[in-house]
Amino acid sequence: MSSFAGRMREYPTVSLDRFDRENLHAQAYFLSHCHKDHMKGLKGPLLKRKLQFSRTVRLYCSFVTKELLLNNPKYAFWEEYIVPLELESPTQISLVDEASGEKEEIVVTLLPAGHCPGSVIIYLDSTFYDPRFYQIPSREVCLKGISELIGNWISQSSYHVVWLNCKAAYGYEYLFTNLGDEFGTQIHVNSPAMFKKMPEILSYVTTDRRTQIHACRHPKDEEFFQGNRLPCGCTAPDGTPLRIISIKPSTMWFGERTKKTNVIIKTGTSSYRACFSFHSSYSEIKDFLSYLQPVNIFPSVVPIGRTLTEVTQISAFVFLDLEAAVERTAPPVAMSLPLLVSDTTSATQNYFDCTESNGEDDDEEEEEEGKGDQRKAEGGKDAPKWEDFFTAEQLSDSQNSQSHSCCSAAATSPSRGTGSQTPDLFSDEDRTPENLETFSLTLSTSLSNHSSQNLDDTLILHPQTPNTKTDAVQSEPEDLPMSQASSDFDIPSTPESKAPRPDDLRALYMKLASGEELVIRGGSGIRNEDD
DNA sequence: GCGATCAGGT
DNA sequence: CACACCTGATCGC
């Protein structure tokens, strides 16, 4: 992740989520969301200086991201250079070479990612693009488990309190709002100010420590907790010792052939882990790709044991030439190209769990299968309020109901005859050779940043069967649990735009791949000249 | 004093 | 294992 250099092959003058080094020369900037590791260089003096001398360079992001960014005074100088974009509304952006005056137009469509407030897709998050991470329980299910645990605890007495061991970052808001509603309480946090531009969340957090649900932090909070203290130091007014449990949001995942198990794991006498994920599961990413049917996919991360140059070379070989596939093969052929990976480890555990927040490899004894089946995974009727994630004052209510972060992103550019239109990693050191069409048909799982466990899982994109999602993937069992699949792709549209259908997208990609010029009509869609 | 970078931690 | 931080030491300006 940190290996992402900030640019995409197709748009070498655009930088996203990295703002240092070569990115200082960009003609336009994008920020996908407000997490610090995606903001490297964003407050740098060099960039600040560049802005002062530039007439055209801007930072594009969602309205929410803009607000969150400007919340921090260190980024205040960006104010006049940020252009917030509406979600799901194709928007034309000019890329200007200020030295020569040359101008190029691109079209960008922000789609909500569900990762944290304001987050949008522009490249695909491949964190869990590995079949071991086949499924992650839905947020509804996770929330239900957490609610139940908290309810059982804090109902015992007013001295029973809960510490949510969350990172000081955006992305936990739906926990706060839903728990706040359920238990009629506010959540104690260190900095409610970070939500001051999100009034619908602000009302759920407080600096008042007299609450039974805390998500506060202290540099030594783990130590505090071991000594039965909350990070904020709060005690009961009458001196009665508090009864504290900690709940650490962590990602739990389940392999393809494993049964789901608890979303709550007890890890110590007063410690729990609760399933929680910022990221899409393997099956969700897979479905996303099947839906989009991109012509090319390139990794944006360097797997362990590979160099950036190697990966970029490998990227050339995973090039998928749909047109070539149509012409050269009668039935779809699955050709596996064993590229990034060398050994395959099968996932036999019932679950894996990783600490989304803190990576400490468990200080306490894991009680693997949890304690019985008290957590039932039914679809909760109180779904997370996703609109809380995606609205700022300025926004309409056109965004809602993302459960996991699988939506399409179609950023297109006219011309550029590279034959490659799906954004990919770009870096100066290693330009890819132009003869990409040499290889065909198969897209290996080279997206993965988990280095060496997915050789046997090859994604094949069939050019001629746009609607047979599951056909596109090898070796799926009959009883494939598609729990989070289809609904994730019901992207609500703005009144002016309609969601593209897979076959529309495929046709578009084919044209893009062949270098055809595309024209934009009325800002509400992308069409080909001869449509 | 500021920043960038790294090591180390949760 | 990877995410999203934080702190502290060191170095260069």
Side-chain angles (χ1 to χ4, degrees):
Chain A
M1 190 206 61
S2 55
S3 62
F4 180 57
R7 288 185 294 165
M8 296 182 286
R9 185 183 311 266
E10 295 84 354
Y11 311 101
T13 62
V14 171
S15 285
L16 53 147
D17 289 1
R18 276 290 291 264
F19 307 92
D20 58 349
R21 299 171 175 262
E22 297 307 314
N23 301 303
L24 286 165
H25 308 302
Q27 293 169 9
Y29 293 102
F30 289 86
L31 178 61
S32 68
H33 66 288
C34 253
H35 278 159
K36 291 263 167 36
D37 57 333
H38 291 255
M39 294 157 64
K40 200 172 186 191
L42 194 56
K43 59 173 154 51
L46 291 174
L47 190 51
K48 187 173 181 177
R49 192 174 150 79
K50 169 182 170 153
L51 291 178
Q52 286 159 357
F53 285 92
S54 168
R55 295 169 53 82
T56 58
V57 173
R58 296 293 181 269
L59 174 66
Y60 302 91
C61 61
S62 67
F63 279 86
V64 172
T65 294
K66 178 189 174 183
E67 294 302 328
L68 299 184
L69 185 69
L70 295 179
N71 232 5
N72 185 336
K74 287 179 175 166
Y75 300 101
F77 70 89
W78 273 105
E79 172 135 34
E80 53 191 307
Y81 306 102
I82 297 179
V83 179
L85 304 180
E86 295 287 356
L87 300 182
E88 298 166 354
S89 306
T91 306
Q92 185 165 315
I93 284 171
S94 297
L95 303 177
V96 181
D97 181 336
E98 292 187 52
S100 68
E102 273 182 61
K103 193 171 168 185
E104 183 185 1
E105 307 290 339
I106 60 170
V107 172
V108 171
T109 308
L110 300 192
L111 294 169
H115 176 66
C116 72
S119 63
V120 296
I121 300 172
I122 31 196
Y123 52 83
L124 187 62
D125 172 9
S126 60
T127 302
F128 290 115
Y129 196 65
D130 181 313
R132 288 203 303 168
F133 316 131
Y134 206 88
Q135 286 182 84
I136 296 168
S138 72
R139 280 167 166 163
E140 288 87 348
V141 167
C142 296
L143 183 65
K144 195 169 176 356
I146 294 170
S147 291
E148 221 173 293
L149 174 62
I150 292 178
N152 288 342
W153 187 254
I154 65 174
S155 62
Q156 295 179 43
S157 84
S158 61
Y159 305 108
H160 285 71
V161 301
V162 169
W163 174 44
L164 295 171
N165 185 352
C166 302
K167 276 181 286 200
Y170 296 110
Y172 299 96
E173 296 72 20
Y174 80 91
L175 277 187
F176 301 159
T177 57
N178 283 281
L179 295 175
D181 279 338
E182 171 130 12
F183 300 109
T185 181
Q186 288 178 307
I187 287 84
H188 179 241
V189 299
N190 285 26
S191 321
M194 68 190 279
F195 302 115
K196 69 183 177 200
K197 293 295 175 56
M198 292 186 284
E200 62 276 65
I201 292 165
L202 191 61
S203 64
Y204 287 92
V205 294
T206 181
T207 52
D208 187 345
R209 302 182 301 172
R210 294 169 302 172
T211 171
Q212 283 177 279
I213 305 179
H214 291 248
C216 43
R217 302 302 312 231
H218 182 278
K220 301 197 167 170
D221 48 25
E222 301 274 357
E223 278 179 39
F224 274 48
F225 177 70
Q226 293 306 319
N228 196 41
R229 281 185 297 162
L230 285 164
C232 60
C234 185
T235 55
D238 64 1
T240 306
L242 295 177
R243 301 285 310 279
I244 310 172
I245 57 169
S246 78
I247 302 175
K248 180 185 288 185
S250 313
T251 305
M252 296 177 192
W253 56 79
F254 304 95
E256 186 179 352
R257 291 178 179 79
T258 53
K259 291 262 184 285
K260 292 184 190 179
T261 179
N262 294 340
V263 296
I264 303 288
I265 304 287
K266 191 168 186 186
T267 57
T269 48
S270 308
S271 307
Y272 297 83
R273 287 188 178 200
C275 184
F276 182 94
S277 181
F278 291 117
H279 301 281
S280 301
S281 68
Y282 175 76
S283 63
E284 289 167 331
I285 300 169
K286 205 158 49 72
D287 286 345
F288 172 87
L289 292 172
S290 298
Y291 181 87
L292 273 193
Q293 303 195 34
V295 175
N296 306 310
I297 300 178
F298 297 89
S300 63
V301 293
V302 180
I304 293 157
R306 293 281 182 180
T307 66
L308 194 55
T309 307
E310 276 180 305
V311 170
T312 308
Q313 284 165 355
I314 288 163
S315 300
F317 289 99
V318 287
F319 176 80
L320 175 68
D321 185 340
L322 286 176
E323 235 162 346
V326 171
E327 287 168 12
R328 294 176 203 154
T329 70
V333 176
M335 286 171 51
S336 179
L337 299 177
L339 295 172
L340 292 186
V341 290
S342 55
D343 71 278
T344 305
T345 55
S346 61
T348 52
Q349 296 92 324
N350 277 347
Y351 71 86
F352 298 83
D353 115 5
C354 82
T355 56
E356 180 66 45
S357 332
N358 306 329
E360 103 276 75
D361 252 56
D362 263 41
D363 15 30
E364 298 145 64
E365 311 310 313
E366 291 270 340
E367 297 170 32
E368 285 279 306
E369 292 303 320
K371 296 291 188 193
D373 272 358
Q374 75 270 35
R375 316 287 158 209
K376 288 270 166 51
E378 305 143 12
K381 54 176 178 286
D382 293 319
K385 293 177 179 168
W386 291 108
E387 58 273 20
D388 286 350
F389 266 25
F390 305 119
T391 52
E393 305 94 300
Q394 305 93 320
L395 289 188
S396 72
D397 59 355
S398 66
Q399 308 89 25
N400 54 55
S401 78
Q402 284 72 21
S403 61
H404 282 253
S405 58
C406 280
C407 302
S408 64
T412 69
S413 158
S415 76
R416 308 196 72 82
T418 63
S420 167
Q421 292 293 339
T422 302
D424 76 309
L425 176 65
F426 177 94
S427 96
D428 277 345
E429 305 89 90
D430 42 39
R431 293 179 183 271
T432 324
E434 289 294 289
N435 58 341
L436 295 175
E437 66 278 6
T438 320
F439 278 82
S440 59
L441 287 183
T442 303
L443 176 67
S444 151
T445 55
S446 62
L447 266 174
S448 175
N449 53 356
H450 301 276
S451 54
S452 58
Q453 53 278 70
N454 47 21
L455 173 59
D456 60 338
D457 206 290
T458 302
L459 179 64
I460 301 113
L461 302 180
H462 292 188
Q464 72 281 48
T465 53
N467 287 318
T468 53
K469 290 206 303 194
T470 52
D471 282 354
V473 178
Q474 265 187 330
S475 65
E476 284 195 312
E478 297 280 70
D479 59 342
L480 172 67
M482 295 290 285
S483 60
Q484 301 126 336
S486 62
S487 65
D488 293 344
F489 301 98
D490 298 335
I491 303 162
S493 299
T494 53
E496 298 78 24
S497 65
K498 65 171 198 270
R501 287 173 295 127
D503 45 344
D504 293 336
L505 288 170
R506 191 179 71 85
L508 175 65
Y509 291 147
M510 296 290 274
K511 285 164 181 165
L512 290 167
S514 67
E516 281 186 54
E517 291 284 335
L518 299 175
V519 295
I520 311 307
R521 193 175 57 178
S524 62
I526 302 165
R527 68 191 297 269
N528 190 271
E529 284 172 313
D530 56 20
D531 272 355

